[in-house]
Amino acid sequence: MHNHEPAGYHCPFCHLTPDREPDVVYRDERVFALICPRWWPRNAGHLLIIPVAHHENLYDLPTADGHAIFDATRILARALRTAYDCAGVSTRQHNEPAGNQDVWHFHQHLFPRYPGDDLYGTRPQPDWLPAERRRAYAERLRAALNP
């Protein structure tokens, strides 16, 4: 439909092995979620929720995968509230270049929110966070998902 993925695209999400990634906190047959390696200054440990099957954007996403994304988002939002003691959550999802999509595989962000965090007025940190910093957040979320 409205696709921008270049020929020969090397999809970073399709090349992940969710069962072996230390940052993966959730997985079912359609969806997995991991701690995002790029962080916003006051929203540490936010998640990427990703369909296992490759779909470039919202326009291409099959209904069953869309439902699975939403179900996982609800489960993970509850876990964020417990694990991070945040005051709320926000989701964000981008499509096409004008919509700020920069990975050509559908994914949704789930952010922990805090009063005055200014999520939409701040930029992400320029560098990816080291795995050991992300791992601590993954462990907290896994504990909240599996009490």
Side-chain angles (χ1 to χ4, degrees):
M1 180 176 210
H2 299 284
N3 298 107
H4 301 275
E5 178 181 309
Y9 180 64
H10 180 80
C11 178
F13 296 153
C14 287
H15 295 286
L16 288 174
T17 308
D19 294 335
R20 295 190 320 202
E21 298 294 328
D23 295 343
V24 171
V25 298
Y26 177 89
R27 175 151 170 97
D28 65 26
E29 65 278 353
R30 291 189 176 274
V31 174
F32 66 100
L34 58 96
I35 304 294
C36 185
R38 192 151 192 220
W39 284 16
W40 272 251
R42 293 179 289 277
N43 306 91
H46 93 273
L47 298 171
L48 295 178
I49 304 167
I50 306 163
V52 172
H54 183 86
H55 308 291
E56 181 175 318
N57 52 40
L58 183 63
Y59 314 122
D60 297 338
L61 191 68
T63 300
D65 284 353
H67 286 291
I69 294 280
F70 183 83
D71 291 345
T73 300
R74 186 182 63 241
I75 290 165
L76 291 160
R78 292 174 178 161
L80 279 177
R81 295 269 296 141
T82 299
Y84 297 175
D85 195 30
C86 55
V89 300
S90 288
T91 59
R92 186 185 287 183
Q93 196 277 316
H94 307 277
N95 298 281
E96 300 187 270
N100 292 327
Q101 184 176 8
D102 59 0
V103 175
W104 308 116
H105 185 129
F106 178 95
H107 59 286
Q108 179 172 271
H109 297 259
L110 177 61
F111 290 91
R113 297 300 307 274
Y114 305 93
D117 65 14
D118 195 27
L119 173 65
Y120 298 110
T122 58
R123 305 223 7 108
Q125 295 176 348
D127 298 321
W128 289 26
L129 244 56
E132 59 273 3
R133 289 259 335 262
R134 298 190 311 264
R135 191 169 298 116
Y137 284 85
E139 289 169 2
R140 288 167 62 188
L141 276 168
R142 282 190 211 102
L145 286 165
N146 303 301

